[in-house]
Amino acid sequence: MKQDDQDSSGLHFGGRMAFDPEDQSLFLSIGERRNLERAQDAADQAGSVLRLTDAGDAHPDNPSFADEAEEGEADPYIFSMGHRNIQALTIHPETNEIWAVDHGPEGGDTIQLIAAGNNHGWPFLAGGPDYSGAPLGVGLSMEGMTSPVHVFEDTVAPSGVTFVSDGSNFENWAGDMIIGGLVTEGLVRVRLEDGEVVTQEEIELGYRVRDVHNGLDGNIWLVTDEENGTILRLTPEG
């Protein structure tokens, strides 16, 4: 991490990690620290997903973002850019695709399919207005930028995401995306087909969910975000 990239803001840290089982590389999301323009500067790690080797070096297969660097050279660790504050990042267990759920502004949380060299457009692409009510961006599409797979109309405040694996005790959910919700105080289950959301279900638990994982026991395990945080096990029986 570069000292020059440090920011005194107390917001939008991001900071989720996902390990690639194929080559043991590490993906790491960095928030834009509530400084919107940082997400569009490829010389700055803020607002990006980084890819590191297991030795901590920039991955040799990382793309070049030379044209998006405002000053100096593009950061070699950047795998994708134009993100707001990703706190939900995972690798699909079958396809090895990298999926993220990014915090939107006032509403407009987004599901994103991450790929090398993509610019996901924040703050030009935005699914909702600023907290002040002022409009943001140009909509959900712009030349040279990658549109989200899905935009949530209501705020989820996504934190933690996983895919229900084969062999899970939740047989009817196999392959579905499970997202932790801080504002919704529960989970959101999403089914994707051909790159589109075809099913969306909110599961109210009464807890701010900070992270979600498949357990080796076939159940879904959660971590809550509270002063006295709790580890929960979710079974098909409830």
Side-chain angles (χ1 to χ4, degrees):
M1 303 296 104
K2 297 186 298 184
Q3 184 63 35
D4 291 345
D5 282 351
Q6 304 310 305
D7 192 308
S8 61
S9 168
L11 298 169
H12 296 188
F13 295 101
R16 284 305 171 119
M17 297 182 289
F19 286 93
D20 186 340
E22 292 190 349
D23 68 355
Q24 304 304 309
S25 59
L26 170 67
F27 294 92
L28 170 64
S29 65
I30 305 291
E32 35 79 303
R33 308 305 305 282
R34 195 71 171 93
N35 291 321
L36 282 63
E37 68 278 1
R38 295 188 67 182
Q40 288 299 320
D41 181 4
D44 187 344
Q45 293 179 345
S48 67
V49 172
L50 312 182
R51 188 185 188 193
L52 298 73
T53 68
D54 56 4
D57 300 318
H59 198 284
D61 293 337
N62 281 350
S64 171
F65 284 97
D67 294 339
E68 283 80 18
E70 292 186 7
E71 294 184 9
E73 297 182 359
D75 191 287
Y77 284 87
I78 295 178
F79 183 79
S80 66
M81 61 180 291
H83 304 287
R84 186 172 184 266
N85 185 30
I86 293 176
Q87 295 181 356
L89 183 70
T90 193
I91 294 179
H92 195 287
E94 295 182 3
T95 66
N96 217 49
E97 295 170 331
I98 307 155
W99 288 86
V101 192
D102 200 355
H103 282 265
E106 188 67 25
D109 300 328
T110 57
I111 296 176
Q112 300 173 352
L113 177 58
I114 310 296
N118 282 2
N119 183 338
H120 288 264
W122 174 258
F124 299 111
L125 303 187
D130 187 65
Y131 297 122
S132 66
L136 281 171
V138 298
L140 295 174
S141 63
M142 183 175 177
E143 185 177 356
M145 296 184 177
T146 303
S147 297
V149 171
H150 181 71
V151 179
F152 292 99
E153 292 184 8
D154 299 321
T155 298
V156 174
S159 188
V161 61
T162 191
F163 286 93
V164 179
S165 56
D166 290 338
S168 168
N169 294 337
F170 293 83
E171 296 179 1
N172 293 334
W173 293 1
D176 290 353
M177 175 185 284
I178 306 293
I179 304 163
L182 296 168
V183 168
T184 55
E185 295 192 341
L187 301 174
V188 178
R189 180 179 67 88
V190 167
R191 179 161 295 171
L192 295 156
E193 291 182 3
D194 299 324
E196 296 183 359
V197 172
V198 296
T199 300
Q200 178 178 324
E201 176 189 11
E202 284 194 18
I203 302 163
E204 296 182 10
L205 299 174
Y207 295 94
R208 287 168 52 87
V209 175
R210 176 56 70 180
D211 205 0
V212 53
H213 285 273
N214 287 295
L216 296 178
D217 61 353
N219 296 312
I220 294 173
W221 290 74
L222 317 171
V223 178
T224 69
D225 179 56
E226 300 169 303
E227 184 174 346
N228 185 20
T230 307
I231 295 176
L232 304 176
R233 184 179 65 173
L234 185 65
T235 68
E237 296 77 25

